[in-house]
């Protein structure tokens, strides 16, 4: 393996023989003597590194390889082993550089090509892996491991038929290679033969329990087979044993969200932190759980704690997203750019998410050209990044005949991204794109498939929602409200804009918030937070009885809510457009009896279609089946009728179609209800530079249009309303 002369040559050959005989303990002893005897020679340091490498002490291996390189920088074996060491230390980009240097000094060593292609596979750069494999095949096209890597790379490129052909031949002669077994399992999974896929994944994992991909494939297949309890146990066991990979945490949290077990998920991570407060990934996941529960301020604390222990791009991305949801766009941008900076200088896997987040931020800030640039960069980094494709479609940054559009159509038609969330996102985007081109039948097919995929991922019953609404009606009955013994907070600042999603509420808020005396807060979650604060004060769970409240509690809750806002002294009103607030009208009225509430409604079929055609960021379980959307619309209507009955004349009900057809008249009425004088700039809402964080953000940047009125008629022959 390494040249030498005379006694030096004999000593080196002896060290080589110890490696061949796997006599590692004697190897360590003899290499120490070798270093004393030949202190200026690289071989002793190299073999010491070999000893540490085989004993999984990669930090020490890296140190001794560094010393070997100080003595000799032109040896392929040193660079190759350094690459393997860096790979095991998680420094994949550095590992790739080492393999490339090794090839500079020996471009005939097939093992270096194998290692380099494996590294590209690990960072999901499958095209570069294929390029390396092509070079290797010029040396030996029959090499078993090169062919295994080729199959893995083809699977990464979603070229399943080619991969299947290769793996079939390889499996005839090798039924025990874990990478090959994992690849065969992946092919079976693509063919939806999940039991057979699980069999091969388990075989692969039994041979190599350090293979994260095999572990991940097992858990994901268990979920596809509805064996969620077993998947949960495997995730938890892996995390408690130190976690093979940080994404195990993400997968576990996603599964618990799907099963509606976020509280259980939170407690699991909390237990980990109690035992090891320095577990950065557990702190990060606590932040994720809190964000999913609309507790963004608490989530920020958790993300900051995670960052204090490990400066990971994903942590900064999450922190930026939490700030964004709190409308703190300055901090959001700072953290997204920090994530981008770390990704560029380290592992590049986070780059697509970084660019995508910056794309979203710029969309909210009305910088659509810049947003689209970032979305395209995300797709350049990851050709399958469907979220950025959806962003481009939403911003009308693509046409049907564009290269990017054709590529994503092929991804969809060739079933290259499985049948999960990514396919649903892509289907929603394609549905929207075909709607733009007025191909409504094809658009409806995309929308229907997208909704079907999402709807299958959770349980929801309209009857359970009805029971909840009926309970609220019983609590806030006219007889109970007539017996109020407290006045409530007398603030006239809040204007609550309520209604269903996609009802026109964003338009109404833009109109009102363009008034010089109004601050538009957007879809803030302060009423939900006030509910959590009520639970803390009362030491009981929502929903609350009216008898639970008194003047002291009401004032505390009002102060808690109002203190969330920070605006100039000349502002007299603030809009809160969180649409779920229609459920909390009873609580809002007893805390803020002088607040204004504007209920925005829309033609039922138009509203239901608009909901059905959107993939929501939050959890809207009623939204992914057109019949369930329709039933929820009826429940909303019924509850609003109740609120109007028990609070007669106190809620302003406006119809979206009326605003569209006569904006000035309707604006005057709404402003009059809010005790605000008419200002012309209110009907020039499209000039409002306030960030808009809803699916309507692009629409409200334009002058009023009526193309969405009777939109459902385009689909009446294709969807069962």
């Amino acid at each position: 393996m390494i040249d030498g002369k005379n006694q030096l040559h004999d000593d080196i050959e002896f060290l080589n023989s110890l490696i061949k005989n796997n006599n590692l303990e004697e190897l360590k002893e003899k290499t120490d003597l070798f270093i004393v005897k030949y202190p200026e020679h690289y071989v002793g340091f190299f073999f010491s590194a070999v000893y540490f490498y085989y004993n999984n002490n990669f930090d020490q291996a890296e140190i001794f390889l560094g010393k070997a390189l100080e003595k000799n920088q032109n040896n392929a074996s040193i660079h190759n082993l350094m690459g393997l060491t860096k790979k095991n230390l998680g420094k994949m980009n550095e590992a790739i550089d080492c393999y490339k240097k090794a090839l500079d000094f020996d471009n005939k060593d097939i093992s270096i090509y194998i290692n380099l292609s494996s590294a590209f596979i690990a960072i999901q750069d499958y095209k570069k892996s294929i390029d390396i494999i092509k070079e290797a095949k010029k040396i030996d096209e029959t090499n078993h491991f090169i062919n295994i890597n080729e199959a893995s790379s083809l699977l990464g490129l979603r070229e399943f038929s080619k991969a299947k052909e290769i793996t079939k031949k390889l499996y005839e002669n090798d039924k025990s290679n874990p990478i090959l077994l994992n690849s065969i399992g992946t092919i079976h999974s693509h063919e939806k033969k999940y039991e057979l896929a699980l069999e091969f994944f388990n075989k692969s994992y039994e041979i190599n329990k350090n293979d994260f991909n095999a572990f991940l494939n097992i858990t994901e297949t268990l979920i596809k087979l509805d064996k969620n309890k077993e998947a949960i146990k495997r995730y938890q066991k892996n995390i408690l044993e130190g976690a093979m990979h940080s994404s195990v945490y993400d997968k576990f949290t996603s599964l618990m969200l799907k099963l509606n077990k976020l509280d259980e998920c939170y407690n699991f991570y909390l237990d980990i932190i109690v035992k090891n407060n320095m577990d950065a990934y557990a702190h990060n996941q606590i932040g994720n759980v809190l964000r999913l529960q609309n507790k963004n301020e608490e989530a920020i604390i958790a993300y900051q704690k995670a960052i204090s222990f490990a400066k990971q791009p994903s942590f900064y991305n999450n922190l930026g997203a939490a700030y964004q949801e709190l409308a703190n766009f300055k901090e959001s941008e700072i953290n997204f750019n920090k994530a981008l900076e770390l990704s560029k200088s380290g592992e590049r896997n986070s780059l697509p998410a970084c660019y995508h987040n910056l794309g979203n931020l710029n969309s909210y800030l009305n910088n659509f050209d810049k947003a689209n640039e970032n979305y395209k960069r995300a797709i350049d980094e990851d050709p399958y990044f469907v979220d950025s494709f959806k962003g481009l479609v939403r911003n009308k940054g693509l046409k049907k005949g564009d290269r990017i559009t054709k590529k994503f159509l092929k991804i969809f038609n060739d079933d290259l991204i499985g049948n999960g969330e990514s396919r649903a996102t892509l289907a929603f985007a394609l549905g929207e794109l075909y709607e733009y081109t007025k191909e409504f039948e094809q658009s409806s097919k995309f929308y229907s498939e997208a909704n079907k995929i999402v709807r299958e991922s959770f349980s929801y019953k309209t009857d359970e929602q009805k029971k909840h609404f009926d309970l609220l009606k019983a609590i806030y009955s006219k007889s109970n409200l007539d017996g109020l013994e407290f006045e409530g907070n007398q603030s006239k600042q809040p204007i609550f804009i309520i209604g269903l999603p996609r009802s026109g509420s964003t338009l109404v808020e833009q109109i009102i918030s363009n008034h010089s005396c109004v601050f538009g807060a957007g879809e803030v979650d302060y009423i939900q937070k006030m509910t959590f604060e009520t639970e803390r004060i009362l030491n009981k769970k929502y929903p609350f009885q009216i008898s639970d409240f008194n003047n002291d509690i009401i004032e505390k809750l009002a102060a808690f809510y109002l203190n969330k806002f920070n605006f100039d002294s000349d502002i007299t009103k603030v809009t809160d457009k969180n649409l779920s607030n229609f459920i909390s009208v009873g609580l809002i009225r007893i805390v803020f009896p002088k607040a204004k509430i504007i209920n925005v409604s829309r033609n039922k079929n138009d509203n239901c279609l608009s909901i059905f055609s959107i993939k929501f960021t939050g959890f809207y379980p009623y939204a992914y089946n057109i019949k369930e959307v329709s039933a929820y619309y009826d429940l909303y209507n019924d509850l609003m009728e109740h609120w109007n009955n028990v609070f007669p004349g106190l809620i302003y009900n406006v119809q979206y179609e009326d605003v569209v057809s006569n904006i000035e008249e309707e604006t005057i009425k709404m402003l009059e209800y809010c005790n605000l004088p008419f200002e012309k700039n209110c009907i020039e809402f499209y000039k409002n530079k306030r960030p808009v964080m809803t699916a309507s953000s692009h629409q409200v940047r334009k002058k009023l249009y009526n193309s969405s009125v009777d939109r459902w008629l385009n689909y009446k022959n294709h969807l069962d309303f």
Side-chain angles (χ1 to χ4, degrees):
M1 182 172 63
I2 300 175
D3 294 331
K5 294 180 181 179
N6 304 328
Q7 183 61 48
L8 174 61
H9 176 268
D10 292 340
D11 289 342
I12 292 173
E13 285 302 307
F14 179 68
L15 294 179
N16 269 319
S17 69
L18 293 176
I19 292 176
K20 290 176 183 177
N21 295 320
N22 200 29
N23 194 341
L24 295 180
E25 290 308 314
E26 188 175 355
L27 175 67
K28 179 66 173 70
E29 178 186 339
K30 298 304 182 185
T31 53
D32 288 344
L33 293 173
F34 189 99
I35 290 171
V36 172
K37 188 174 181 180
Y38 308 103
E40 296 304 316
H41 205 286
Y42 70 92
V43 167
F45 299 104
F46 175 78
F47 278 110
S48 288
V50 171
Y51 166 79
F52 286 117
Y53 179 86
Y54 281 116
N55 281 282
N56 296 322
N57 189 340
F58 303 114
D59 289 317
Q60 283 298 310
E62 185 179 34
I63 291 170
F64 276 89
L65 285 168
K67 292 179 179 179
L69 285 171
E70 290 175 5
K71 310 296 181 183
N72 185 349
Q73 296 184 7
N74 302 323
N75 186 279
S77 296
I78 302 174
H79 288 293
N80 191 30
L81 185 58
M82 181 66 94
L84 291 168
T85 302
K86 297 278 190 184
K87 176 184 176 182
N88 281 285
L89 289 171
K91 303 174 182 179
M92 199 61 69
N93 288 332
E94 293 181 38
I96 288 170
D97 289 338
C98 291
Y99 297 138
K100 288 178 178 178
K101 287 178 183 176
L103 286 175
D104 287 341
F105 300 111
D106 186 353
N107 61 5
K108 299 297 182 183
D109 187 341
I110 200 75
S111 70
I112 303 173
Y113 290 96
I114 294 169
N115 292 338
L116 182 54
S117 70
S118 297
F120 281 126
I121 291 169
I123 64 170
Q124 300 178 7
D125 194 338
Y126 304 110
K127 288 184 178 179
K128 286 185 179 177
S129 175
I130 290 292
D131 290 340
I132 295 300
I133 289 166
K134 287 178 181 177
E135 292 300 312
K137 283 194 167 188
K138 293 176 183 177
I139 301 168
D140 183 2
E141 64 179 12
T142 64
N143 185 277
H144 188 64
F145 297 105
I146 281 293
N147 284 301
I148 287 175
N149 277 8
E150 183 178 17
S152 298
S153 301
L154 289 169
L155 287 175
L157 293 169
R158 277 76 167 177
E159 296 186 26
F160 292 98
S161 58
K162 291 182 181 179
K164 185 174 183 178
E165 185 180 340
I166 293 171
T167 56
K168 184 179 179 180
K169 292 179 182 178
L170 292 171
Y171 188 63
E172 290 174 359
N173 300 312
D174 183 357
K175 293 180 170 57
S176 61
N177 184 285
I179 298 174
L180 176 60
L181 294 170
N182 191 58
S183 295
I184 295 172
T186 301
I187 293 167
H188 287 312
S189 181
H190 173 70
E191 295 171 342
K192 297 182 173 56
K193 300 174 183 176
Y194 298 124
E195 292 286 0
L196 194 56
L198 185 62
E199 180 184 332
F200 276 89
F201 292 143
N202 278 322
K203 286 179 181 178
S204 174
Y205 190 62
E206 283 301 314
I207 297 169
N208 181 11
K209 291 187 180 295
N210 293 319
D211 186 350
F212 170 67
N213 287 323
F215 170 82
L216 198 62
N217 287 333
I218 288 169
T219 52
E220 290 184 345
T221 306
L222 287 169
I223 294 168
K224 289 173 183 174
L225 291 168
D226 289 326
K227 298 180 180 180
N228 294 313
K229 288 185 179 179
E230 187 177 345
I232 288 172
K233 286 180 182 178
R234 284 184 179 254
Y235 281 137
Q236 289 180 329
K237 184 175 184 292
N238 191 272
I239 290 170
L240 291 172
E241 289 177 351
M244 300 169 72
H245 193 279
S246 61
S247 63
V248 176
Y249 291 83
D250 295 321
K251 298 289 184 181
F252 173 65
T253 302
S254 295
L255 177 58
M256 297 302 274
L257 170 63
K258 172 186 172 182
L259 300 175
N260 197 25
K261 293 185 176 182
L262 284 181
D263 287 339
E264 184 180 328
C265 183
Y266 178 87
N267 290 330
F268 173 74
Y269 289 126
L270 197 61
D271 287 342
I272 291 176
I273 286 172
V274 168
K275 296 170 185 173
N276 177 16
N277 187 49
M278 295 179 67
D279 190 325
Y281 295 100
H283 283 290
N284 179 57
Q285 292 303 322
I286 282 181
N288 288 342
V289 173
L290 290 168
R291 262 185 66 211
L292 289 167
Q293 295 175 326
N294 292 319
K295 300 177 182 178
N296 286 295
E297 287 162 334
E298 296 171 57
I300 285 171
I301 295 171
Y303 291 139
Q304 289 172 335
K305 192 77 172 176
I307 288 169
S308 72
F309 295 123
K311 290 176 171 50
Q312 296 290 331
S314 61
F315 298 172
Y316 284 101
N317 266 331
N318 291 337
L319 181 58
Y323 276 120
Q324 182 171 286
E325 287 166 21
L326 290 171
N328 188 337
F329 299 105
K330 182 179 179 181
E331 285 296 325
S332 177
E333 185 172 18
I334 288 171
N335 283 284
F336 287 154
N337 280 319
K338 181 65 177 176
L340 182 63
E341 176 189 334
L342 287 170
S343 296
K344 285 181 175 179
S345 62
E347 304 304 326
R348 298 178 65 87
N349 290 358
S350 295
L351 272 177
C354 294
Y355 285 125
H356 178 74
N357 287 337
L358 287 167
N360 285 345
L361 179 63
N362 280 289
S363 290
Y364 299 146
L365 296 174
N366 197 22
N367 300 325
F368 293 111
D369 289 341
K370 193 171 181 181
N372 292 343
E373 286 177 17
N374 279 295
Y375 289 142
K376 288 177 181 178
R377 285 175 183 168
I379 292 170
D380 286 341
E381 292 292 333
D382 181 355
Y384 296 88
F385 206 81
V386 294
D387 291 288
S388 284
F389 175 69
K390 185 184 78 169
L392 285 168
V393 172
R394 174 53 45 84
N395 288 350
K396 296 182 173 59
L398 289 173
K399 295 179 180 178
K400 186 180 169 185
D402 288 348
R403 177 185 59 83
I404 292 176
T405 302
K406 289 179 179 178
K407 181 175 68 176
F408 276 96
L409 269 169
K410 178 176 173 55
I411 288 171
F412 186 89
N413 292 330
D414 292 353
D415 194 16
L416 300 182
I417 50 174
N419 196 38
E421 184 178 353
S422 293
R423 184 171 177 83
T425 300
L426 180 53
F428 275 116
L430 291 170
E432 189 170 354
L433 185 67
Y434 274 79
E435 183 172 3
Y436 294 157
T437 61
K438 301 187 184 305
E439 297 173 71
F440 300 113
E441 183 177 1
Q442 187 60 43
S443 171
S444 69
K445 290 178 181 178
F446 283 124
Y447 284 144
S448 295
E449 178 167 351
N451 280 279
K452 183 175 181 290
I453 294 169
V454 177
R455 183 63 186 85
E456 289 174 349
S457 69
F458 57 82
S459 61
Y460 167 77
K461 294 180 180 179
T462 299
D463 288 345
E464 293 298 318
Q465 192 68 67
K466 183 178 185 303
K467 287 178 184 177
H468 177 59
F469 284 9
D470 287 344
L471 176 60
L472 291 175
K473 286 156 56 176
I475 291 172
Y476 295 99
S477 66
K478 189 163 183 60
S479 58
N480 287 343
L481 289 166
D482 286 343
L484 284 180
E485 296 181 355
F486 44 84
E487 295 181 352
N489 184 275
Q490 299 301 297
S491 174
K492 298 179 182 179
Q493 280 187 326
I495 299 173
F496 295 96
I497 299 172
I498 63 174
L500 288 180
R502 315 293 291 156
S503 63
S505 57
T506 301
L507 169 62
V508 168
E509 190 191 31
Q510 282 291 97
I511 290 170
I512 294 173
S513 66
N514 228 26
H515 197 283
S516 61
C517 295
V518 179
F519 173 76
E523 291 193 24
V524 292
D525 59 352
Y526 300 161
I527 289 296
Q528 289 95 317
K529 283 186 166 62
M530 190 176 79
T531 302
F532 299 142
E533 179 68 4
T534 308
E535 289 182 335
R536 187 190 69 79
I537 293 172
L538 297 178
N539 194 26
K540 65 185 300 185
K541 289 290 184 182
Y542 170 89
F544 320 110
Q545 299 298 319
I546 294 176
S547 58
D548 293 329
F549 296 95
N550 57 43
N551 280 321
D552 182 53
I553 292 173
I554 290 294
E555 288 303 324
K556 286 180 180 177
L557 294 176
F560 177 87
Y561 178 85
L562 294 172
N563 287 339
K564 297 288 183 184
F565 298 103
N566 181 24
F567 41 76
D568 297 335
S569 58
D570 58 339
I571 297 295
T572 60
K573 303 283 186 181
V574 58
T575 57
D576 177 338
K577 197 193 80 76
N578 191 299
L579 298 181
S580 63
N581 285 345
F582 84 85
I583 299 171
S584 303
V585 167
L587 179 61
I588 290 170
R589 292 262 25 128
I590 66 173
V591 176
F592 297 112
K594 295 192 176 180
K596 299 299 182 181
I597 300 177
I598 299 177
N599 173 47
V600 188
S601 56
R602 183 180 180 184
N603 171 275
K604 179 179 178 179
N605 286 345
D606 273 343
N607 204 163
C608 291
L609 172 63
S610 195
I611 291 171
F612 188 71
S613 61
I614 291 291
K615 184 174 185 288
F616 290 94
T617 302
F619 188 52
Y620 295 81
Y622 61 84
Y624 301 101
N625 177 294
I626 197 70
K627 293 293 188 185
E628 289 174 340
V629 179
S630 178
Y632 192 86
Y633 184 99
D634 291 339
L635 291 177
Y636 147 77
N637 237 7
D638 180 69
L639 185 59
M640 286 310 308
E641 185 177 343
H642 172 78
W643 296 135
N644 280 300
N645 287 334
V646 296
F647 302 117
L650 297 178
I651 299 171
Y652 186 85
N653 298 288
V654 63
Q655 194 72 18
Y656 168 73
E657 290 81 4
D658 292 340
V659 177
V660 171
S661 64
N662 198 339
I663 183 172
E664 185 166 344
E665 181 181 338
E666 292 300 324
T667 299
I668 290 170
K669 290 178 183 178
M670 287 189 290
L671 293 176
E672 186 177 303
Y673 166 75
C674 296
N675 298 321
L676 291 166
F678 176 75
E679 291 181 355
K680 186 179 179 181
N681 52 310
C682 288
I683 60 175
E684 296 177 338
F685 60 89
Y686 48 88
K687 296 180 180 179
N688 194 333
K689 298 301 181 183
R690 181 181 65 85
V692 179
M693 295 174 59
T694 74
S696 308
S697 60
H698 203 284
Q699 296 168 357
V700 298
R701 304 300 187 188
K702 298 180 177 180
K703 291 184 178 182
L704 201 61
Y705 66 102
N706 61 9
S707 59
S708 63
V709 175
D710 286 336
R711 174 189 171 203
W712 76 276
L713 292 174
N714 297 318
Y715 292 88
K716 67 177 182 178
N717 296 325
H718 312 302
L719 295 174
D720 186 8
F721 290 92

